[in-house]
Structures are given as structure tokens and as C-alpha cells.
Amino acid sequence: MPSSCPSPSLSHSLPVLRFALRNTPTMPLLSSHSMPLLHLAVLPSGLYNKLTPDMYEASSHSTHGYIVLLLSLTLSVVDIPCIFHPSLYVLESSFQNLIVPILAFSDDNTIADSSLSEQIVFDTESPQPPRHSDDTLREIVVNPIPRAKQPLLRRIAQGAYATLERVLVFAAFGMVLSGIVTYTGGCRDSYINNCLAHLIKGGIFWCYGLFTFARFLGSHSEMGWAWNISPIGNTISAEFVESTVIFLYGISNTWMERFGAKAGDPYTTKQVQHVSIAVMFWFAGLIGMGMESRRVRRWLAASATASLGSARPSSIPEPPSYRASFNPFPALVIGVTGAAMSAHAQAYVFQVQIHQLWGWLLLGFSVLRCLTYFFVWLGPPNSLLPSRPPTEALGSFFLACGGLMFILSTEEVTLAAMRKGRDDMMMFLNVAVAITCFAFCWTFCVVAFNGWLKSRKPVA
């Protein structure tokens, strides 16, 4: 048993709980309780290291684990002053203390019902039939509460705090992966590059799937990321974040595919395959980012507006489709990757089969995301509440499960399974589905608990 053991799972759950409890009135009190939990997690880990030999030399898992715990502890320390003076609680997310605006009708300013049916927009007794025109869109008025501009230093502190909270969630997942590798003694010698590639890439798809499921449940609905109308006005779209991650993935991975090769060595077929996929991520992500830019969209529409000449009105109504993002490039990239990897040549039949399996799962996510765009195009969001398209629930499951199968398809794991007589596709798939269901249940509990706490927060 290696002494550089993974820290207990309790310590890795703390960043996730912090993220779920942000902007809630109980957060400072729970933060004060988290420090004893941190000690409870660290002490057994240190004791285990002292009592066992070092079976994985030069492992950085323990060092990284203590860094994650230290950052989580730092955020808890920032929260504690709020217990004694609530006015000091200013480093929370930049969306703190927002009042959810109401939907106001242009005629009577009546508060709208939360139903997603067309009765929200139209009076059922009115002889006017339902319609999806620009005039209809103007009947729904979303008036965000104006916010006073805060000092630059405070905005920087709020942004850094919110970013660190979110990064800790993914850092904790990374620590779980590195802890499993350290505990099992894997990813050594010639397996290191293959292992890193599968863990990092599969981990990205896994986190992407869980994040998409959280969006389906209503997470980040204040930013309009739950296929709803954002109550705080114009924000960056979820598709812009997806395209940015895809772009960064591609631009970095393009050069990493040659790790281990000597200078002057010719490109192998497998290297060309992987580099071409990375280039696709690079430029498709760049196009996706451009499509989500409001400035770029105005440039793309300039030919239509310029044709009006001097008769151009001061404001041109936007079409209904502008209420949501219909950026197909994240889905295109993942779908093409899945289709390509399902045909990826391998040395053994079992390795081909497992690559086919997670390739099809990624392709399934792409198809379901396109179906989401189709249905949302037919009925753009008309409420502040999350619309929860069922295609996203299924697509997020396929994506997360495909990412987990990606992780399990490492050369070391598949060869070990064949040596032990465990090269059974049904077993691998069932294990991946079971773990994904457990992770989705955990995500559901975290998002629901966060919503319950926010519902108890008094409105200023």
C-alpha cells in the first residue's frame, strides 16, 4: 500500500459543498464547521503516511491534496467574519444580493405566472391567436434591478473568490483521479503518456457531463444557462464557455501529441489522427467563441442593416431565436470526436470495442444536443425559470458515461482486464453506468440543497 495515499473522500467533498452553499445565509456558519472537518480529513492521512512505506516515489498527490485543502481552508477563513459582522461578507459571488425581477406585461404590468405554456404571454380570453413574432417578444419585459458600480478592487476580489470556488470543485475531482492512480500504483514508465491523455481528456468529458446535468436541473439559471431568460440581463452564454474550453483544449493538445517523440522523428498515423482532432477543437472552438460574441453578431448582420441606407430605424427588433444560443460547434466537435474514436485502430479486439462504446456515447450526446436546439428553436425561452429540456438530461448522461469509459479505456487498464479474464464489455458498461448514476444523484442532491438554502434566504 503506497504511503502517498489519497486524502480521505471527506476532504475532497468539501470544495463541492462550498460551491453548493455559496450565497446562502448559512454559509459562514458551515464554513466555521468545515475547519474541524478539514483537520479530521488531514490527520488520518498524515498518520497513514507515517505508518506505511513509500510505494510510489516522487508522487505529487499528497502535495497537491494539501494545496487544495489549504485553498478551501482559506475560503472558509474569509467566510468566518460574517458570523460576527454580516456586512463584511462581501467576497462572495458577484451575483450575490440580486433580486429576481418579475415578468411585466406591457398592458397591465401583472406579475406573470411561472407556467411555460403560452398562457404566460397571452390572455386566454383574448381573441388574438398565439404568435411568435417580434411584437410578441416585446410583450415580455425583463427589467433587471440596476446595481451600483462597485470599486475595481472589490470586483476583482469577488471575481477571484467566485473563480476559486468553482476551480476547487474540479481540483477535488483531479485529486480523486490522482489518488486512485497513486493507490493502485498505475501510470508508470511507458504507460505515463497514454494514462495522462485518457485521464485528462476523459475527465474533461466527465465534468462536462455533470455540469450539463446541473444546468438541466437549474444551476446557473441566474445567468440564463438553464435554457431560460437571464434575470440579470446580458451575460456570457454557456455555449461561449463550452467553446472556450474546446479552444483551449485544442490549442494545447495540438503540441502535446508529440510528447515522447524525438526531434526529427516522422509523424506516426496515430499522431496524425490525434493532432488533426486537436486542430479541429482549436478552430471549431474559435468559431464557436466568435458566434457567441455580440459584437461579432452585429458585424455579421451589418450587410442586412446597411442595405436599409438612410431609412434604417434607430432600433431593429431581434428575431425570437435571439433569446437562446444555437451554437452547434461544441456538439459538432464532440460528435465528430466520438465518431472518429469509435473507429480508432487498436492492438486488441477488446480495446477496439471499448473505444467504440465511448465513441458512440459521445456521438449520442451530440445528437441529443442538436435535438435540444431544434426544440428550443421552435419555442424559445419565455420564462425566468429553467425549462429543463429532457434531451439535455439524456445527453449529459451519455457525455458523462462516455467520459468515464474514456478513462477506463487506458492501455494499462484494458491489458490488466484481459490478463485477469475481465475483458467483458457488459461489465465495463454496467460499472460506468452505475458510477454515473451515483454521480448524478450526488449532483442532484447538491443542486437541490443549494436551492433549498437559497429559498430560505430573506429577500432584501
Side-chain angles (χ1 to χ4, degrees):
M1 303 289 284
S3 63
S4 299
C5 65
S7 301
S9 59
L10 174 62
S11 63
H12 293 146
S13 300
L14 293 177
V16 181
L17 292 175
R18 285 198 50 83
F19 180 71
L21 300 174
R22 68 186 189 281
N23 300 334
T24 58
T26 56
M27 182 65 215
L29 184 59
L30 292 175
S31 295
S32 65
H33 293 345
S34 67
M35 286 191 290
L37 292 177
L38 285 172
H39 287 87
L40 183 62
V42 171
L43 289 178
S45 178
L47 182 62
Y48 183 85
N49 286 338
K50 296 294 184 181
L51 297 178
T52 54
D54 188 0
M55 302 294 291
Y56 207 119
E57 296 182 359
S59 170
S60 60
H61 171 71
S62 295
T63 303
H64 292 166
Y66 287 124
I67 292 175
V68 171
L69 293 176
L70 179 61
L71 292 176
S72 182
L73 179 62
T74 301
L75 295 181
S76 298
V77 171
V78 173
D79 286 325
I80 288 178
C82 181
I83 300 176
F84 309 101
H85 200 311
S87 64
L88 297 178
Y89 198 30
V90 297
L91 295 180
E92 284 295 343
S93 172
S94 58
F95 305 113
Q96 184 179 4
N97 295 328
L98 287 173
I99 302 175
V100 177
I102 62 173
L103 290 176
F105 290 104
S106 58
D107 294 333
D108 55 6
N109 294 327
T110 303
I111 297 179
D113 186 72
S114 62
S115 173
L116 293 177
S117 68
E118 291 184 343
Q119 293 179 354
I120 297 180
V121 184
F122 304 100
D123 186 356
T124 54
E125 299 178 358
S126 173
Q128 185 178 16
R131 62 197 188 282
H132 294 287
S133 66
D134 298 330
D135 293 334
T136 300
L137 289 177
R138 288 195 293 270
E139 291 182 7
I140 303 178
V141 181
V142 180
N143 298 316
I145 302 300
R147 291 172 288 170
K149 189 174 182 179
Q150 296 179 339
L152 178 60
L153 184 59
R154 175 170 294 184
R155 282 182 287 154
I156 293 175
Q158 288 177 336
Y161 189 96
T163 301
L164 185 57
E165 274 193 323
R166 288 156 175 80
V167 168
L168 280 177
V169 178
F170 301 102
F173 171 70
M175 291 308 305
V176 172
L177 286 183
S178 66
I180 293 174
V181 171
T182 303
Y183 191 78
T184 57
C187 297
R188 297 175 185 265
D189 302 328
S190 61
Y191 293 121
I192 182 65
N193 288 335
N194 179 270
C195 182
L196 286 176
H198 281 251
L199 291 180
I200 294 174
K201 298 173 184 178
I204 291 174
F205 289 131
W206 167 263
C207 293
Y208 187 8
L210 293 182
F211 177 71
T212 303
F213 181 64
R215 286 178 57 198
F216 166 79
L217 296 175
S219 180
H220 295 86
S221 57
E222 71 277 6
M223 301 177 66
W225 289 10
W227 296 273
N228 64 313
I229 299 175
S230 172
I232 62 174
N234 292 331
T235 62
I236 61 173
S237 65
E239 282 74 12
F240 178 83
V241 176
E242 292 175 349
S243 298
T244 302
V245 173
I246 288 173
F247 168 74
L248 295 176
Y249 175 99
I251 198 173
S252 59
N253 207 54
T254 299
W255 319 109
M256 295 171 63
E257 290 297 339
R258 290 281 288 175
F259 281 0
K262 297 179 180 179
D265 286 350
Y267 278 79
T268 65
T269 300
K270 184 170 291 188
Q271 287 175 349
V272 172
Q273 293 172 344
H274 291 177
V275 169
S276 59
I277 290 178
V279 172
M280 175 188 68
F281 272 66
W282 182 349
F283 289 103
L286 192 60
I287 297 173
M289 293 166 62
M291 290 182 61
E292 295 302 315
S293 169
R294 297 181 184 88
R295 186 185 301 274
V296 172
R297 286 204 297 264
R298 286 197 299 269
W299 293 345
L300 297 177
S303 59
T305 57
S307 63
L308 299 175
S310 58
R312 182 173 58 182
S314 58
S315 62
I316 300 177
E318 295 180 342
S321 60
Y322 277 39
R323 280 193 170 272
S325 175
F326 299 96
N327 190 340
F329 284 94
L332 173 67
V333 166
I334 294 177
V336 171
T337 301
M341 296 306 296
S342 64
H344 194 14
Q346 300 292 321
Y348 299 96
V349 174
F350 175 65
Q351 293 175 330
V352 173
Q353 291 175 338
I354 198 169
H355 277 76
Q356 284 180 337
L357 186 56
W358 66 259
W360 292 338
L361 289 171
L362 297 188
L363 183 59
F365 162 78
S366 178
V367 172
L368 289 166
R369 172 58 66 86
C370 291
L371 288 176
T372 297
Y373 287 153
F374 173 75
F375 290 119
V376 175
W377 180 276
L378 295 179
N382 56 14
S383 172
L384 300 179
L385 302 180
S387 58
R388 299 192 182 93
T391 49
E392 286 300 314
L394 297 175
S396 61
F397 188 89
F398 283 3
L399 184 58
C401 189
L404 184 56
M405 291 295 294
F406 195 163
I407 295 174
L408 295 177
S409 66
T410 61
E411 183 179 4
E412 190 173 16
V413 172
T414 54
L415 290 178
M418 288 187 289
R419 285 195 296 266
K420 298 291 185 179
R422 301 288 187 178
D423 50 335
D424 182 79
M425 287 301 301
M426 181 179 177
M427 183 192 73
F428 268 71
L429 178 60
N430 287 354
V431 170
V433 168
I435 296 175
T436 305
C437 287
F438 172 78
F440 270 43
C441 183
W442 169 248
T443 303
F444 178 85
C445 293
V446 170
V447 175
F449 188 45
N450 180 25
W452 177 73
L453 290 173
K454 284 186 176 181
S455 68
R456 294 171 57 88
K457 183 176 181 179
V459 179

